[in-house]
Amino acid sequence: MGCFVSTPKDTGGKRRRPGNIGEVAVFVPGLRIPKPVDFSESLGDHLSKSLVERISVLRTRIVVMAGQEAPSITRTRRRNATQHGGSTLGDLLQALEDYLPVLLGLVKDGSPLQHKVQFMWINQEDDSEETGMYSVWYEVLSVLHLMTALSLSQANLLILPRTSTDGYLPKVSEESRRSAIDILLKAAGYLDCAVRHILPQLPSEHRRDLPVDLAEGVLRALCLQAIGQSVDIQLGLAIDSTKATLAVKRRLACEMVKYWQQAQDNITNLPLANGWGEKHRLYVKWKYIEAKAAAYYYHGLILDEGNTEKSHGMAVSALQAADEYLKESKKACEAFNTAVPISRTPPLWGTMKYLSEKIPKDTASKVRINRDLYTYEKISKKR
């Protein structure tokens, strides 16, 4: 019981790895696509016919919908339905939410039924084409991962800038930004549940054999980056608010640094050798550098409020660091986009649009003002 079955990538499976995923504002991990399961054969002698039929219908619906939606989830096209008139991302997410409580009924009070069914899922990030396990907990983990991917895809669509009807530059509405924050935090909740409550249910030897996209480090990194990205959007809202102080903005920027650094720590040493996993690592690196640019910028502005030569000098150093991180982030962004699957950066908006304009300008200005001010004072003292 609990044994894994893995199919290597050279067996001619039907894994779907897109070559181009379009515009990426929020990174969506490689999808886990479920394969059909015959519940009647495994559970027919243990559960009522009606219950077996219910769980079969719920999962079959997910298998069909996930198969239809997979090509569109990994491409950033805003659509209401599939070409077959089928589900949207929201419909698939609802189907998973309907399935999950019924699935959890199979593990209630340590039921032996949790080991009766072999659940198979196609992997996009692991070297194996597909991985299966006689464990309901493995199924729950895979379901939560797919729910996370769908939520992140929804958030990505919400914060991709759209050309406004008034002819101005593409922008993201405040309503969309606030909705994206809620969705990102919900995704983080799925992952936190997976790490804290589902992974511990699997024996340690089986946890070591999980596909890389279900590794604890990957799940933790996804959770942390979802929170970090929600804070990024909050910082953008604070930038637009006349009531938000520099201290508030610096606090938000420092929170971003903390979450993205923790995400990087969790993903750095994982064996993400294939294209998608490496792209995930590059995304975390890029966003971590961006967060440091924001934090140093606001720290520099606060230091500049001091009235001493020392505070002004420290402010200039912080702003220069922000400028260097901003330049480095552009290189990290390019490295992310050119990694397979290829992607594009959407038009700048929010936090980074503001900072990309303000950091170089304010850094040059403060350097010049401080140099002129203290050079003049030193000359005056010598007279």
Side-chain angles (χ1 to χ4, degrees), residues 122-274:
I122 298 172
N123 308 317
Q124 283 195 318
E125 294 195 18
D126 197 72
D127 284 339
S128 297
E129 285 286 1
E130 58 191 46
T131 305
M133 184 181 184
Y134 282 93
S135 172
V136 172
W137 291 116
Y138 172 68
E139 175 82 343
V140 172
L141 195 60
S142 296
V143 166
L144 288 174
H145 186 278
L146 182 51
M147 291 171 72
T148 298
L150 296 174
S151 298
L152 294 177
S153 184
Q154 287 181 324
N156 185 54
L157 289 172
L158 278 170
I159 62 174
L160 288 178
R162 303 293 168 182
T163 302
S164 58
T165 55
D166 55 14
Y168 287 97
L169 294 174
K171 57 185 179 181
V172 180
S173 70
E174 181 174 334
E175 180 183 1
S176 291
R177 285 186 276 178
R178 294 192 182 280
S179 295
I181 290 172
D182 292 340
I183 291 172
L184 287 166
L185 293 178
K186 183 181 289 187
Y190 295 146
L191 294 161
D192 183 64
C193 176
V195 170
R196 295 176 59 188
H197 302 294
I198 309 305
L199 275 178
Q201 301 296 332
L202 292 168
S204 57
E205 63 271 19
H206 294 147
R207 289 177 62 178
R208 287 195 297 268
D209 291 334
L210 284 170
V212 68
D213 47 2
L214 293 183
E216 182 175 348
V218 172
L219 298 179
R220 287 187 181 277
L222 280 171
C223 178
L224 290 160
Q225 69 192 59
I227 299 173
Q229 200 129 33
S230 72
V231 176
D232 187 351
I233 300 172
Q234 291 176 55
L235 176 56
L237 291 171
I239 289 172
D240 291 344
S241 172
T242 56
K243 297 181 180 179
T245 64
L246 283 179
V248 168
K249 295 171 187 175
R250 182 176 66 174
R251 178 180 59 80
L252 289 170
C254 289
E255 283 185 15
M256 283 169 56
V257 172
K258 178 184 71 174
Y259 290 124
W260 286 108
Q261 180 178 15
Q262 291 176 357
Q264 181 164 275
D265 290 344
N266 274 281
I267 206 171
T268 296
N269 296 320
L270 292 174
L272 303 175
N274 68 79

Side-chain angles (χ1 to χ4, degrees), residues 368-380:
R368 184 180 64 256
I369 290 172
N370 283 8
R371 183 185 62 237
D372 293 347
L373 174 63
Y374 292 110
T375 298
Y376 175 78
E377 286 187 357
K378 288 175 183 178
I379 291 174
S380 298

Side-chain angles (χ1 to χ4, degrees), residues 53-64:
E53 287 181 351
R54 174 165 169 70
I55 194 170
S56 295
V57 168
L58 287 170
R59 195 177 191 280
T60 299
R61 183 182 178 213
I62 292 168
V63 170
V64 173

